[in-house]
Amino acid sequence: MLVQLSQSISEAVSVLQKCCTDEGLSHPNPDQNFSEESDSFRSNIEASKAADKIVAASSQLIALLQAPSLSLLRAACGHITSAALRVCLELSVVEILGDAGSDGLHVTKIAQRSGIVPDKLGRLLRYLSNQHIFSQVAPDTYANNRISTILHSKKSVKQLLESSDQKHDGSMEQSFPSLIELFASDLHLSSGYLTEYLKDPVMGNSEEPNHAPFNKAFQVDVSLFDWYNQPEQAARLRRFLTAMQGTDRLQADDGLLKAIEWAELPSGSIIVDVGGGWGNASLPVAVQNPHLRFVIQDKVDLVAAGQAAWETQLGQPVSSDRVSFQVHNFFASQPITGASIFILKHVLHAFSNSYAVKILKNLRAAAAPSSQLLIIDSIIPPFCSVQDNESPFLEYDPVAEMVYISDLTMMLQLNAKERTLSELEYILEISGWKVANIPPRHYNNLLTPVVAIPV
């Protein structure tokens, strides 16, 4: 296996280099700040797959050659990486190093600007540099690198010190740093109570959204979203909403556009985006299909912002004949009957089966025989090894790991889950729906569209 893995890496490197040479694409440089240009090779599917194959084989090599005791120790100490990242994010270390450039900055100067003891900060940065997050360019001197750069909030240190509200302002530039900070803080704490949650005779067998490890960690009796909506959690809600935009970096833009033959729908067809926020998922479809009518349904605050958001994005007033915004709780009866398409994007994964079935049954009751239900969520892929001489390593799908993480995140925070295809088919079946079509998922797209019809 050792030789086969080595050969697989060598062959994939050759493919990657050829793709980059033929199309003038850049190779990643570990000490270069990240940019779309520096990772341009990922725009080529063949090059992207070759890179993923290198990662898969390299991971197998590490598992094969590293001492099992060290492998387990590193896995058990993941909390240290998470905690160290949180320190750097909340103390603006990335922004401080951004001002220093490639020469880096001595830890005493970093600590002076961040307000903590140099020795303790230096030990954290040394550890993260060993994880390839940050670079140690000289003794006790650190600089940003390809990985740490994407944690930059695109705000100056002065702005962040003057107002913490600047950090999570809802912009796409700040979305990924907000996402990592969310994982390294609240999710980090919730994960520490996973065992207690599973062993709890009530919570461990419950499907209630307020019976999650999060509830034990923060000692609250309400669900995560009800907690976020409390006035004292305004900063956390702002960070969460900004972070959710960070997931857009993990999926192709055209997934929803290609899921349905929108142009073939009759003029005036009604599309209902259930739990659609301000309608960001439907907007690209509306732009390309002016013959369709859209109804965006969600809570009061999100619906109120919808009209302004669409007009800002479209650059012109939006008529009520084109789109309307409706306050609606998807656990109540669906007021729009006979719609051509009902959309559920990022909805079902936030609920356990019993609650997901309630949502689906309400839509089934409102559906016409010709209605379609478009579900956009992550589908958990199977995990199995390829048993042949040509592929000695586990097939690596970069999406799979993200879906596994998302699934456990749903359990930690909401007592909910991502689903396998068979699990999704089950809750559809008992709700009066069946899967009619699964459009191809774009490579590296986190989300899978599934089209269901009434039965």
Side-chain angles (χ1 to χ4, degrees):
M1 178 179 280
L2 189 62
V3 173
Q4 290 173 302
L5 289 169
S6 173
Q7 290 174 342
S8 295
I9 293 172
S10 179
E11 291 167 2
V13 167
S14 296
V15 171
L16 178 58
Q17 287 181 321
K18 185 177 185 303
C19 290
C20 290
T21 300
D22 291 349
E23 297 193 18
L25 303 173
S26 299
H27 293 123
N29 183 329
D31 295 319
Q32 184 181 43
N33 286 353
F34 173 85
S35 67
E36 297 300 329
E37 174 64 23
S38 69
D39 254 32
S40 61
F41 75 91
R42 296 190 191 280
S43 62
N44 181 296
I45 297 297
E46 188 178 2
S48 187
K49 288 183 176 180
D52 292 337
K53 189 173 185 179
I54 295 166
V55 171
S58 300
S59 176
Q60 281 288 94
L61 274 176
I62 292 171
L64 182 64
L65 298 177
Q66 185 170 257
S69 56
L70 181 56
S71 295
L72 288 171
L73 183 62
R74 294 183 70 176
C77 291
H79 64 289
I80 296 177
T81 306
S82 181
L85 277 172
R86 180 187 175 191
V87 170
C88 293
L89 284 162
E90 295 197 6
L91 297 179
S92 305
V93 170
V94 177
E95 288 79 11
I96 291 169
L97 291 178
D99 293 343
S102 59
D103 291 337
L105 200 63
H106 194 274
V107 69
T108 55
K109 293 183 179 179
I110 305 171
Q112 184 179 28
R113 297 189 68 182
S114 60
I116 61 174
V117 176
D119 171 71
K120 294 178 180 178
L121 177 60
R123 289 151 64 187
L124 294 175
L125 289 173
R126 179 176 60 201
Y127 173 82
L128 289 174
S129 295
N130 194 52
Q131 306 296 313
H132 310 291
I133 306 168
F134 302 111
S135 295
Q136 187 172 147
V137 296
D140 296 324
T141 301
Y142 297 90
N144 280 328
N145 62 10
R146 177 174 172 272
I147 295 178
S148 67
T149 304
I150 66 172
L151 298 175
H152 200 297
S153 66
K154 303 302 184 291
K155 298 287 184 181
S156 69
V157 178
K158 183 174 183 294
Q159 287 176 303
L160 295 174
L161 289 175
E162 286 177 351
S163 173
S164 59
D165 292 348
Q166 293 272 353
K167 194 165 191 180
H168 309 292
D169 64 1
S171 66
M172 183 57 72
E173 291 80 8
Q174 295 188 35
S175 60
F176 201 73
S178 297
L179 181 66
I180 299 302
E181 186 177 311
L182 175 64
F183 272 89
S185 55
D186 290 1
L187 273 159
H188 174 90
L189 182 58
S190 294
S191 67
Y193 286 82
L194 180 57
T195 300
E196 288 77 9
Y197 151 81
L198 291 171
K199 292 172 69 175
D200 187 305
V202 176
M203 285 191 173
N205 293 285
S206 172
E207 292 203 347
E208 295 301 316
N210 64 332
H211 286 173
F214 151 77
N215 296 94
K216 282 189 173 292
F218 289 90
Q219 299 181 4
V220 295
D221 294 326
V222 297
S223 70
L224 176 71
F225 292 122
D226 287 340
W227 187 64
Y228 274 156
N229 286 319
Q230 294 176 358
E232 59 270 25
Q233 302 303 332
R236 275 191 164 95
L237 176 60
R238 187 167 56 249
R239 181 180 64 187
F240 172 80
L241 294 174
T242 302
M244 288 304 95
Q245 294 191 62
T247 60
D248 290 343
R249 291 191 178 190
L250 306 173
Q251 54 195 279
D253 295 333
D254 60 358
L256 189 63
L257 290 171
K258 293 182 177 180
I260 296 283
E261 296 294 340
W262 302 101
E264 296 181 7
L265 293 175
S267 180
S269 294
I270 297 176
I271 316 300
V272 183
D273 194 347
V274 184
W278 58 264
N280 53 310
S282 296
L283 181 59
V285 180
V287 169
Q288 294 191 17
N289 298 277
H291 66 294
L292 303 177
R293 294 179 58 196
F294 291 82
V295 180
I296 314 299
Q297 298 177 332
D298 214 305
K299 296 179 180 179
V300 175
D301 53 341
L302 294 173
V303 165
Q307 183 82 21
W310 274 55
E311 291 183 354
T312 298
Q313 294 291 325
L314 294 175
Q316 61 184 23
V318 180
S319 69
S320 58
D321 291 337
R322 184 88 184 276
V323 60
S324 59
F325 299 87
Q326 186 177 71
V327 176
H328 175 62
N329 182 340
F330 40 56
F331 291 116
S333 298
Q334 172 58 240
I336 307 296
T337 58
S340 295
I341 310 286
F342 291 105
I343 299 174
L344 284 174
K345 182 178 181 182
H346 270 160
V347 173
L348 296 180
H349 79 150
F351 296 97
S352 61
N353 280 355
S354 59
Y355 281 86
V357 166
K358 290 178 184 178
I359 297 170
L360 292 169
K361 283 185 174 180
N362 285 333
L363 294 179
R364 178 63 185 89
S370 60
S371 296
Q372 297 181 78
L373 171 62
L374 175 58
I375 298 169
I376 307 285
D377 252 329
S378 296
I379 300 296
I380 298 177
F383 183 83
C384 58
S385 59
V386 177
Q387 301 296 328
D388 61 56
N389 292 329
E390 295 182 3
S391 300
F393 54 87
L394 298 177
E395 284 295 311
Y396 178 74
D397 180 352
V399 169
E401 184 170 5
M402 289 305 306
V403 176
Y404 301 151
I405 290 171
S406 180
D407 177 44
L408 295 179
T409 297
M410 293 300 103
M411 179 167 62
L412 287 171
Q413 298 294 79
L414 294 161
N415 196 25
K417 63 186 299 181
E418 304 289 358
R419 294 174 173 85
T420 64
L421 180 57
S422 61
E423 288 173 335
L424 177 61
E425 288 175 328
Y426 169 73
I427 62 171
L428 285 169
E429 180 183 348
I430 64 176
S431 304
W433 298 92
K434 69 175 182 179
V435 173
N437 183 33
I438 303 176
R441 173 174 64 82
H442 186 281
Y443 185 71
N444 279 354
N445 196 336
L446 185 63
L447 301 178
T448 299
V450 174
V451 179
I453 57 175
V455 292

Coordinates of all heavy atoms in Angstrom, one line a residue, residues 155-208:
K155 N -11.1 44.5 8.3 CA -11.3 45.7 9.1 C -9.9 46.0 9.7 O -9.1 45.1 10.0 CB -12.3 45.5 10.2 CG -13.7 45.3 9.7 CD -14.4 46.5 9.1 CE -15.8 46.2 8.8 NZ -16.4 47.4 8.2
S156 N -9.6 47.3 10.0 CA -8.4 47.6 10.6 C -8.5 47.3 12.1 O -9.6 47.2 12.7 CB -8.1 49.1 10.4 OG -9.0 49.9 11.2
V157 N -7.3 47.2 12.7 CA -7.3 46.9 14.2 C -7.9 48.1 14.9 O -8.7 47.9 15.9 CB -5.8 46.8 14.7 CG1 -5.8 46.6 16.2 CG2 -5.1 45.6 14.0
K158 N -7.7 49.3 14.4 CA -8.3 50.5 15.1 C -9.9 50.4 15.0 O -10.5 50.7 16.0 CB -7.9 51.8 14.3 CG -8.4 53.1 14.9 CD -7.7 54.3 14.2 CE -8.2 55.6 14.8 NZ -9.6 55.8 14.6
Q159 N -10.4 50.0 13.9 CA -11.9 49.9 13.8 C -12.4 48.8 14.7 O -13.4 49.0 15.4 CB -12.2 49.5 12.3 CG -12.1 50.6 11.3 CD -12.4 50.1 9.9 OE1 -11.8 49.2 9.4 NE2 -13.4 50.7 9.3
L160 N -11.7 47.7 14.8 CA -12.2 46.6 15.7 C -12.1 47.0 17.2 O -12.9 46.6 18.0 CB -11.4 45.4 15.4 CG -11.5 44.8 14.0 CD1 -10.6 43.6 13.8 CD2 -13.0 44.3 13.8
L161 N -11.0 47.8 17.5 CA -10.9 48.2 18.9 C -11.9 49.2 19.3 O -12.4 49.3 20.4 CB -9.5 48.8 19.2 CG -8.3 47.7 19.2 CD1 -7.0 48.4 19.3 CD2 -8.5 46.7 20.3
E162 N -12.3 50.1 18.3 CA -13.2 51.2 18.6 C -14.7 50.6 18.8 O -15.5 51.1 19.5 CB -13.2 52.2 17.5 CG -12.0 53.1 17.5 CD -11.9 54.0 16.3 OE1 -12.8 53.9 15.4 OE2 -11.1 55.0 16.4
S163 N -15.0 49.6 18.0 CA -16.3 49.0 18.1 C -16.3 47.5 17.7 O -16.0 47.2 16.6 CB -17.3 49.8 17.1 OG -18.5 49.1 17.1
S164 N -16.7 46.7 18.7 CA -16.7 45.3 18.4 C -17.9 44.9 17.4 O -17.8 43.9 16.8 CB -17.0 44.5 19.7 OG -18.2 44.9 20.3
D165 N -18.8 45.8 17.3 CA -19.9 45.6 16.3 C -19.4 45.6 14.9 O -20.1 45.1 14.0 CB -21.0 46.7 16.4 CG -21.7 46.7 17.8 OD1 -21.6 45.6 18.5 OD2 -22.5 47.6 18.1
Q166 N -18.2 46.2 14.7 CA -17.6 46.2 13.3 C -17.3 44.8 12.8 O -17.2 44.6 11.6 CB -16.4 47.1 13.3 CG -16.6 48.5 13.6 CD -16.8 49.3 12.3 OE1 -16.7 48.8 11.2 NE2 -17.2 50.6 12.5
K167 N -17.1 43.9 13.8 CA -16.5 42.6 13.4 C -17.5 41.7 12.6 O -17.1 41.0 11.7 CB -16.0 41.9 14.6 CG -15.1 40.7 14.3 CD -14.3 40.2 15.5 CE -13.2 39.2 15.1 NZ -12.5 38.8 16.2
H168 N -18.7 41.7 13.0 CA -19.7 40.8 12.4 C -20.8 41.7 11.8 O -21.9 41.7 12.3 CB -20.2 39.8 13.4 CG -19.2 39.1 14.2 ND1 -18.3 38.2 13.6 CD2 -18.8 39.2 15.5 CE1 -17.5 37.7 14.5 NE2 -17.8 38.3 15.7
D169 N -20.5 42.3 10.7 CA -21.5 43.3 10.2 C -22.3 42.8 9.1 O -23.0 43.5 8.4 CB -20.7 44.5 9.7 CG -19.8 44.2 8.5 OD1 -19.7 43.1 8.1 OD2 -19.1 45.2 8.0
G170 N -22.3 41.4 8.8 CA -23.1 40.8 7.8 C -22.5 40.8 6.4 O -23.2 40.3 5.5
S171 N -21.3 41.3 6.3 CA -20.7 41.4 4.9 C -20.1 40.0 4.6 O -19.7 39.2 5.5 CB -19.6 42.4 4.9 OG -18.5 42.1 5.8
M172 N -20.0 39.7 3.3 CA -19.4 38.5 2.8 C -18.0 38.4 3.2 O -17.4 37.3 3.5 CB -19.6 38.4 1.3 CG -19.0 37.1 0.8 SD -19.8 35.6 1.5 CE -21.4 35.7 0.7
E173 N -17.3 39.5 3.3 CA -15.8 39.5 3.6 C -15.6 39.0 5.1 O -14.6 38.4 5.3 CB -15.2 40.9 3.5 CG -15.1 41.5 2.1 CD -16.4 42.0 1.6 OE1 -17.4 42.1 2.4 OE2 -16.5 42.3 0.4
Q174 N -16.6 39.3 5.9 CA -16.4 38.8 7.3 C -17.1 37.5 7.6 O -17.0 37.0 8.8 CB -16.9 39.9 8.3 CG -16.1 41.2 8.2 CD -16.6 42.2 9.2 OE1 -16.9 41.9 10.3 NE2 -16.5 43.5 8.9
S175 N -17.7 36.9 6.6 CA -18.5 35.7 6.9 C -17.7 34.5 7.3 O -18.1 33.8 8.3 CB -19.3 35.4 5.6 OG -18.5 35.1 4.5
F176 N -16.6 34.3 6.7 CA -15.8 33.1 7.0 C -15.1 33.2 8.4 O -15.1 32.3 9.2 CB -14.8 32.7 5.9 CG -14.4 31.3 6.0 CD1 -15.2 30.2 5.6 CD2 -13.1 30.9 6.4 CE1 -14.9 28.9 5.7 CE2 -12.7 29.6 6.5 CZ -13.6 28.6 6.2
P177 N -14.5 34.4 8.7 CA -14.0 34.5 10.0 C -15.0 34.4 11.1 O -14.8 33.8 12.2 CB -13.4 36.0 10.0 CG -13.0 36.2 8.6 CD -14.1 35.5 7.8
S178 N -16.2 34.9 10.8 CA -17.3 34.7 11.8 C -17.7 33.3 11.9 O -18.0 32.8 13.0 CB -18.6 35.5 11.3 OG -18.3 36.9 11.3
L179 N -17.7 32.5 10.8 CA -18.0 31.1 10.9 C -17.0 30.3 11.8 O -17.4 29.5 12.6 CB -18.1 30.5 9.5 CG -18.4 29.0 9.3 CD1 -19.9 28.8 9.8 CD2 -18.2 28.6 7.9
I180 N -15.7 30.6 11.6 CA -14.7 29.9 12.3 C -14.8 30.3 13.8 O -14.6 29.5 14.7 CB -13.3 30.2 11.8 CG1 -13.2 29.7 10.3 CG2 -12.2 29.5 12.6 CD1 -13.5 28.2 10.1
E181 N -15.1 31.6 14.1 CA -15.2 32.0 15.5 C -16.4 31.4 16.1 O -16.3 31.0 17.3 CB -15.3 33.6 15.5 CG -15.3 34.1 16.9 CD -15.4 35.6 17.0 OE1 -14.6 36.3 16.3 OE2 -16.2 36.1 17.8
L182 N -17.5 31.2 15.4 CA -18.6 30.5 15.9 C -18.3 29.1 16.3 O -18.6 28.6 17.4 CB -19.8 30.5 14.9 CG -21.0 29.7 15.3 CD1 -21.7 30.4 16.5 CD2 -22.0 29.7 14.1
F183 N -17.6 28.4 15.5 CA -17.2 27.0 15.8 C -16.2 26.9 16.9 O -16.3 26.0 17.8 CB -16.5 26.4 14.5 CG -17.5 25.7 13.6 CD1 -18.1 26.4 12.6 CD2 -17.8 24.4 13.7 CE1 -19.0 25.8 11.7 CE2 -18.7 23.8 12.9 CZ -19.3 24.5 11.9
A184 N -15.3 27.9 17.0 CA -14.3 27.9 18.0 C -14.8 28.4 19.4 O -14.0 28.2 20.4 CB -13.1 28.7 17.6
S185 N -15.9 28.9 19.5 CA -16.4 29.5 20.7 C -17.7 28.7 21.2 O -17.5 27.7 22.0 CB -16.7 31.0 20.6 OG -17.6 31.2 19.5
D186 N -18.8 29.1 20.7 CA -20.1 28.4 21.3 C -20.1 26.9 20.9 O -20.5 26.1 21.8 CB -21.3 29.2 20.7 CG -21.5 30.6 21.2 OD1 -20.6 31.0 22.0 OD2 -22.4 31.3 20.8
L187 N -19.8 26.6 19.7 CA -19.8 25.1 19.4 C -18.8 24.4 20.1 O -19.0 23.2 20.5 CB -19.6 25.0 17.9 CG -20.9 25.1 17.1 CD1 -20.7 25.4 15.6 CD2 -21.7 23.8 17.2
H188 N -17.6 25.0 20.3 CA -16.6 24.4 21.1 C -17.1 24.0 22.5 O -16.9 22.9 23.1 CB -15.4 25.3 21.2 CG -14.3 24.9 22.1 ND1 -13.2 24.1 21.7 CD2 -14.0 25.1 23.4 CE1 -12.4 23.9 22.7 NE2 -12.9 24.5 23.8
L189 N -17.8 25.0 23.1 CA -18.3 24.8 24.5 C -19.4 23.7 24.5 O -19.5 22.8 25.3 CB -18.9 26.1 25.0 CG -19.4 26.0 26.5 CD1 -18.4 25.6 27.5 CD2 -20.0 27.4 26.9
S190 N -20.3 23.7 23.5 CA -21.4 22.8 23.4 C -20.9 21.3 23.3 O -21.4 20.4 23.8 CB -22.3 23.1 22.2 OG -23.0 24.3 22.4
S191 N -19.8 21.2 22.5 CA -19.3 19.9 22.2 C -18.7 19.2 23.5 O -18.7 18.0 23.6 CB -18.1 19.9 21.2 OG -17.0 20.6 21.7
G192 N -18.3 20.0 24.5 CA -17.9 19.5 25.7 C -18.9 18.8 26.6 O -18.6 18.1 27.5
Y193 N -20.2 19.0 26.2 CA -21.3 18.4 26.9 C -22.0 17.3 26.1 O -23.1 16.8 26.5 CB -22.3 19.5 27.3 CG -21.8 20.4 28.4 CD1 -21.0 21.4 28.1 CD2 -22.2 20.1 29.7 CE1 -20.5 22.2 29.2 CE2 -21.7 20.9 30.8 CZ -20.9 22.0 30.5 OH -20.4 22.8 31.5
L194 N -21.3 16.8 25.0 CA -21.9 15.8 24.2 C -22.2 14.5 25.0 O -23.3 13.9 24.8 CB -21.1 15.5 23.0 CG -21.5 14.5 22.0 CD1 -22.9 14.9 21.4 CD2 -20.5 14.4 20.8
T195 N -21.2 14.0 25.7 CA -21.4 12.8 26.5 C -22.5 12.9 27.5 O -23.4 12.0 27.6 CB -20.1 12.4 27.2 OG1 -19.0 12.3 26.2 CG2 -20.2 11.1 28.0
E196 N -22.6 14.0 28.2 CA -23.6 14.2 29.2 C -25.0 14.2 28.5 O -26.0 13.7 29.1 CB -23.4 15.5 30.0 CG -22.2 15.5 31.0 CD -20.9 15.6 30.3 OE1 -20.8 15.9 29.1 OE2 -19.9 15.4 31.0
Y197 N -25.1 14.8 27.4 CA -26.3 14.9 26.6 C -26.8 13.5 26.2 O -27.9 13.1 26.4 CB -26.1 15.8 25.4 CG -27.0 15.5 24.2 CD1 -28.3 15.9 24.1 CD2 -26.4 14.8 23.1 CE1 -29.0 15.6 22.9 CE2 -27.1 14.5 22.0 CZ -28.4 14.9 21.9 OH -29.2 14.7 20.7
L198 N -25.8 12.7 25.7 CA -26.2 11.3 25.2 C -26.6 10.4 26.3 O -27.4 9.6 26.2 CB -25.0 10.8 24.4 CG -24.6 11.4 23.1 CD1 -23.3 10.9 22.5 CD2 -25.8 11.2 22.1
K199 N -26.0 10.6 27.5 CA -26.3 9.7 28.7 C -27.5 10.2 29.4 O -28.0 9.5 30.3 CB -25.0 9.7 29.6 CG -23.8 9.0 29.0 CD -22.6 9.1 29.8 CE -22.7 8.4 31.1 NZ -21.5 8.4 31.9
D200 N -28.0 11.4 29.1 CA -29.2 11.9 29.8 C -30.4 11.1 29.3 O -30.7 11.1 28.1 CB -29.4 13.4 29.5 CG -30.5 14.0 30.3 OD1 -31.6 13.5 30.3 OD2 -30.2 15.1 30.9
P201 N -31.1 10.5 30.3 CA -32.2 9.6 29.8 C -33.4 10.4 29.1 O -34.1 9.8 28.4 CB -32.7 9.0 31.2 CG -32.2 9.9 32.2 CD -30.9 10.5 31.7
V202 N -33.5 11.7 29.4 CA -34.5 12.5 28.7 C -34.0 13.0 27.4 O -34.5 12.8 26.3 CB -35.0 13.6 29.6 CG1 -36.0 14.5 28.9 CG2 -35.7 13.0 30.9
M203 N -32.9 13.8 27.5 CA -32.4 14.5 26.3 C -31.9 13.5 25.3 O -32.0 13.7 24.1 CB -31.2 15.4 26.7 CG -31.7 16.7 27.3 SD -30.3 17.9 27.5 CE -31.2 19.4 28.0
G204 N -31.2 12.4 25.7 CA -30.6 11.5 24.8 C -31.6 10.8 24.0 O -31.3 10.2 22.9
N205 N -32.9 10.7 24.4 CA -34.0 10.1 23.6 C -35.0 11.1 23.1 O -36.0 10.6 22.6 CB -34.7 9.0 24.5 CG -33.8 7.9 24.9 OD1 -33.5 7.0 24.1 ND2 -33.3 7.9 26.1
S206 N -34.7 12.3 23.2 CA -35.7 13.4 22.8 C -35.5 13.8 21.4 O -34.4 13.7 20.8 CB -35.5 14.6 23.8 OG -36.3 15.6 23.3
E207 N -36.5 14.4 20.8 CA -36.4 15.0 19.5 C -36.8 16.5 19.6 O -36.9 17.2 18.6 CB -37.4 14.4 18.5 CG -37.0 13.0 18.1 CD -37.5 12.5 16.7 OE1 -38.4 13.2 16.2 OE2 -37.0 11.5 16.2
E208 N -36.8 17.0 20.8 CA -37.2 18.4 21.0 C -36.0 19.3 20.7 O -34.8 19.0 21.1 CB -37.6 18.6 22.5 CG -38.9 17.9 22.8 CD -40.1 18.3 21.9 OE1 -40.2 19.6 21.7 OE2 -40.8 17.5 21.5

